[in-house]
Amino acid sequence: MGETDVTVEEVQALAQAIRQEVARAVVGQEATVDLMLVALFSGGHILLEGPPGTAKTLIAHSFARALGLDFGRIQFTPDLMPGDIIGANLFNFQTSQFTLTRGPIFTELLLADEINRTPPKTQAALLEAMQERTVTIDGESLPLSDRFMVVATQNPIEQQGVYPLPEAQLDRFLFKQTVDYPSEAEERRIIATHGARTNAMMPEDWGVNPVADAATLGAALATVGAVRLADEVVDYILALVRGTRDVADLESGASP
């Protein structure tokens, strides 16, 4: 047993601590935070879909701060190019050489804000990073962090000027979570707590502090990865996945 080994119970305690820190800034949305935790510990990504003002951006930022992860945000727009995401080799006239300029994708938790506002060519710039956690620039493969995670958001109420994600790209996300309006009691808490603020809300302003670091998170991920699946669980997963391909109400079944 190494010094960084942790038990499953300690991973559960870490997850609860993360929930509590995020709750300092975000009212409600517990189910969304739970799915983000599952995506994190499973090495996956999550797509959040909901109307404006439902704290999608704040959830992602607070989640990253609670985990001690480097946070990056890309505001997707129709004129965004792939190089604006991954970076490029730019010519330096002072040195007469090309210099690698890394794009905002070189972070640990990336918020892809309003991902459906940018054309498919730019959306596709995320595919390699999400699948292989590497980025290729001019034939050179550059590794991303082992903890790299994409939290993408999209607004479902606008049908013009948007580019819906194709099924193949949606498959890169472990979850698509619908972020709905808060309950009446939660909305009252939001008004009472945040209503007097006029500046942009930052997680640290609400006392959200890191409860993990790279070593702690790496040990937790290793513990989760070492959990053995019982045969009964494997059979249940198999039946569930294959069953989705035979249901007429589903347009397409789950991928392997």
Side-chain angles (χ1 to χ4, degrees), residues 198-235:
T198 57
N199 58 328
M201 291 187 295
M202 302 296 289
E204 52 268 31
D205 295 339
W206 298 99
V208 179
N209 293 310
V211 293
D213 54 22
T216 302
L217 184 55
L221 292 173
T223 298
V224 173
V227 173
R228 185 182 68 85
L229 285 177
D231 290 340
E232 294 82 1
V233 177
V234 173
D235 292 339

Side-chain angles (χ1 to χ4, degrees), residues 21-98:
E21 290 301 316
V22 175
R24 295 179 186 272
V26 180
V27 177
Q29 306 297 358
E30 291 86 357
T32 299
V33 177
D34 284 345
L35 287 180
M36 291 174 68
L37 284 167
V38 175
L40 171 74
F41 290 124
S42 302
H45 313 282
I46 186 168
L47 174 63
L48 306 180
E49 180 179 274
T54 48
K56 300 184 295 295
T57 299
L58 183 59
I59 290 173
H61 198 173
S62 301
F63 190 76
R65 178 165 175 79
L67 284 162
L69 296 177
D70 291 334
F71 177 76
R73 176 183 178 182
I74 302 175
Q75 180 65 51
F76 282 79
T77 58
D79 61 347
L80 198 71
M81 299 296 290
D84 297 328
I85 297 175
I86 65 174
N89 283 310
L90 301 179
F91 188 76
N92 188 328
F93 287 94
Q94 293 181 335
T95 62
S96 298
Q97 293 179 334
F98 283 94

Side-chain angles (χ1 to χ4, degrees), residues 35 38-39 42-46 170-176:
L35 287 180
V38 175
S42 302
H45 313 282
I46 186 168
L170 284 173
D171 195 53
R172 292 296 197 277
F173 292 98
L174 183 61
F175 297 116
K176 175 185 175 182

Side-chain angles (χ1 to χ4, degrees), residues 13-207:
L14 174 62
Q16 183 58 29
I18 294 168
R19 292 188 188 97
Q20 292 173 350
E21 290 301 316
V22 175
R24 295 179 186 272
V26 180
V27 177
Q29 306 297 358
E30 291 86 357
T32 299
V33 177
D34 284 345
L35 287 180
M36 291 174 68
L37 284 167
V38 175
L40 171 74
F41 290 124
S42 302
H45 313 282
I46 186 168
L47 174 63
L48 306 180
E49 180 179 274
T54 48
K56 300 184 295 295
T57 299
L58 183 59
I59 290 173
H61 198 173
S62 301
F63 190 76
R65 178 165 175 79
L67 284 162
L69 296 177
D70 291 334
F71 177 76
R73 176 183 178 182
I74 302 175
Q75 180 65 51
F76 282 79
T77 58
D79 61 347
L80 198 71
M81 299 296 290
D84 297 328
I85 297 175
I86 65 174
N89 283 310
L90 301 179
F91 188 76
N92 188 328
F93 287 94
Q94 293 181 335
T95 62
S96 298
Q97 293 179 334
F98 283 94
T99 303
L100 175 64
T101 301
R102 295 173 182 253
I105 200 171
F106 287 90
T107 188
E108 292 181 319
L109 192 146
L110 175 68
L111 173 61
D113 217 356
E114 296 186 291
I115 191 174
N116 58 332
R117 286 192 181 277
T118 200
K121 178 180 180 180
T122 305
Q123 294 172 356
L126 292 171
L127 292 179
E128 180 186 9
M130 294 174 68
Q131 184 70 24
E132 302 174 13
R133 286 178 170 76
T134 59
V135 172
T136 301
I137 300 177
D138 292 341
E140 181 182 0
S141 293
L142 305 171
L144 296 172
S145 168
D146 293 337
R147 298 175 294 279
F148 176 74
M149 176 181 176
V150 173
V151 178
T153 71
Q154 61 182 17
N155 184 342
I157 65 176
E158 293 183 351
Q159 305 300 323
Q160 296 182 347
V162 295
Y163 305 84
L165 295 173
E167 292 293 332
Q169 189 161 349
L170 284 173
D171 195 53
R172 292 296 197 277
F173 292 98
L174 183 61
F175 297 116
K176 175 185 175 182
Q177 166 72 345
T178 300
V179 183
D180 207 351
Y181 289 114
S183 66
E184 182 177 353
E186 290 172 343
E187 197 156 14
R188 189 183 189 284
R189 285 176 55 201
I190 293 171
I191 296 170
T193 305
H194 300 281
R197 298 182 65 91
T198 57
N199 58 328
M201 291 187 295
M202 302 296 289
E204 52 268 31
D205 295 339
W206 298 99

